[in-house]
Amino acid sequence: MSNGLTLPFSQTIPSLSDPAFSIVVQDGGGTAISGEAYGTDKYGDVPTGVYGETDIGQAIFGVATGSGVAICGQGGQYAGQFNGAVQVNGAVQVNDTSNTDAFASTSGSANHAAVATHNDNGGFSFWGNSDSPSGTGIFARGATQAAAFVQTDAKSNQDGLVSTAVCKGNAAVAAHNNGGGFGFWGISDSDGGTGIYARGAKLAALFDGAVQVNGNINMGGNDVVFSDCAEQFDVSADVVAEPGTVMVITEDGRLRPSSLAYDKRVAGVVSGAGDFRPGIVLGVMPHSRRSQVAVALVGKVYCKVDASEASIRVGDMLTSSLTEGHAMKAGDPARAFGAVIGKALRPLATGIGLIPILIALQ
């Protein structure tokens, strides 16, 4: 070579405060050091274009100002290979058009990550993006432990994982397990914590299959009380049956509002009046086009009543009345058998009103 170095060149130098070998390119730019290697050595290994080794300092150190690149590597298989930890104070760009991983990192430590990223300035610590229609932004897989583990600082008061989807046919988070385990697992060890919380404009949760609950089911809300067990019944398309209406069974099996006193065809009261709501609704067919109403069969429900003929006191048995869709006090025990709707839980001295009753068909 013109500078007097004979290749291959290798030399061990005692500890120095300055770099053992330094080249600076000024002004016009260009490459300070270029190393190329072709083929394989006699052992079948791929040779190295540039190799650096040190016990304490930086084996290879590159500095670039402006729009330059500190270290640039290009290889048939790997552009760069590091057998040890790598610290980068700056941006790293990897461009790979081959059929291999653009960036691959392996860690043999049980206490450290193969790749660790950190951002203190409000940006993303890690960003995964795929513009391909069949691509995946981030893929994670674990042999015995979690494929992905997300932890947030308790003091941050932020969600540990946030995912948003704008496609109607897909989920923001999808979990699938073919090995017999849980598809999704939610747990909270806090005394006031909730393992899984769901909220929806129509349904908070939809379960397609059997559901097992090992514990209590508590139903309630801030403004409503889930107080009865109801079941969906068919009604004629022209029937208007608002919550609280007393319903009877017609000859075709459908329901309509009652209009006779002591009607033994009485089926119950339409659920949902006042601040009571059905805790369980049976017979729901989401895709049915038939007109249906939820009729309370067990529990407490608000009911339309008519006290024009007789005052209603707490504990009075109630039956159907001549007023459409309204109940009245069952004053005739003989006629009341088989026509009782339930018991009054609140009095009504006179007129028409809406009171809570305890459903007790008999």
Side-chain angles (χ1 to χ4, degrees):
M1 294 181 61
S2 60
N3 60 2
L5 288 178
T6 301
L7 300 180
F9 174 80
S10 177
Q11 185 174 353
T12 301
I13 301 175
S15 176
L16 296 174
S17 59
D18 295 327
F21 185 75
S22 176
I23 296 179
V24 178
V25 178
Q26 296 179 342
D27 298 332
T31 303
I33 299 177
S34 176
E36 298 184 12
Y38 300 93
T40 59
D41 61 16
K42 62 181 180 180
Y43 302 105
D45 296 327
V46 178
T48 303
V50 177
Y51 177 81
E53 181 177 340
T54 182
D55 291 334
I56 300 177
Q58 289 87 18
I60 298 176
F61 181 75
V63 177
T65 59
S67 59
V69 178
I71 298 177
C72 177
Q74 181 177 347
Q77 182 176 8
Y78 298 111
Q81 179 175 339
F82 302 92
N83 297 323
V86 178
Q87 178 177 336
V88 180
N89 299 322
V92 176
Q93 179 175 335
V94 181
N95 299 319
D96 183 28
T97 58
S98 64
N99 192 27
T100 60
D101 297 325
F103 183 86
S105 177
T106 302
S107 173
S109 172
N111 300 319
H112 293 85
V115 176
T117 62
H118 191 69
N119 190 325
D120 288 329
N121 293 323
F124 297 104
S125 291
F126 189 86
W127 172 272
N129 183 56
S130 176
D131 292 328
S132 171
S134 59
T136 301
I138 298 176
F139 172 77
R141 182 176 61 187
T144 58
Q145 299 296 322
F149 180 76
V150 180
Q151 181 176 352
T152 184
D153 187 353
K155 298 179 181 179
S156 67
N157 196 28
Q158 299 293 325
D159 296 323
L161 177 64
V162 178
S163 177
T164 302
V166 295
C167 179
K168 184 177 181 180
N170 293 283
V173 176
H176 189 68
N177 189 328
N178 288 327
F182 298 103
F184 187 86
W185 172 274
I187 187 171
S188 175
D189 292 326
S190 172
D191 291 338
T194 301
I196 298 176
Y197 171 78
R199 182 180 63 186
K202 182 179 181 181
L203 296 175
L206 174 62
F207 300 94
D208 187 4
V211 177
Q212 176 178 332
V213 179
N214 299 325
N216 297 330
I217 298 179
N218 301 319
M219 299 182 180
N222 295 329
D223 302 318
V224 298
V225 178
F226 298 105
S227 58
D228 68 85
C229 174
E231 184 171 355
Q232 292 278 38
F233 285 87
D234 292 340
V235 296
S236 300
D238 58 344
V239 169
V240 177
E242 61 185 14
T245 302
V246 178
M247 305 294 287
V248 295
I249 306 171
T250 63
E251 296 299 325
D252 61 2
R254 298 181 181 182
L255 301 189
R256 65 170 177 79
S258 62
S259 58
L260 299 176
Y262 296 95
D263 195 336
K264 290 181 171 54
R265 298 174 301 171
V266 68
V269 179
V270 178
S271 182
D275 56 2
F276 288 173
R277 296 292 182 272
I280 299 176
V281 180
L282 307 176
V284 177
M285 295 181 288
H287 304 295
S288 175
R289 296 183 179 180
R290 294 181 295 184
S291 298
Q292 293 185 319
V293 293
V295 176
L297 306 177
V298 178
K300 297 182 295 182
V301 64
Y302 272 92
C303 178
K304 298 177 181 179
V305 293
D306 185 353
S308 301
E309 297 294 328
S311 298
I312 297 175
R313 296 178 298 178
V314 174
D316 282 343
M317 305 295 285
L318 302 175
T319 185
S320 60
S321 69
L322 294 174
T323 304
E324 184 177 88
H326 286 65
M328 68 175 185
K329 178 180 178 179
D332 188 341
R335 297 179 63 191
F337 183 76
V340 171
I341 302 169
K343 285 188 175 184
L345 297 177
R346 191 175 299 169
L348 181 66
T350 185
I352 291 175
L354 187 72
I355 65 171
I357 71 169
L358 178 64
I359 294 291
L361 296 173
Q362 55 183 277

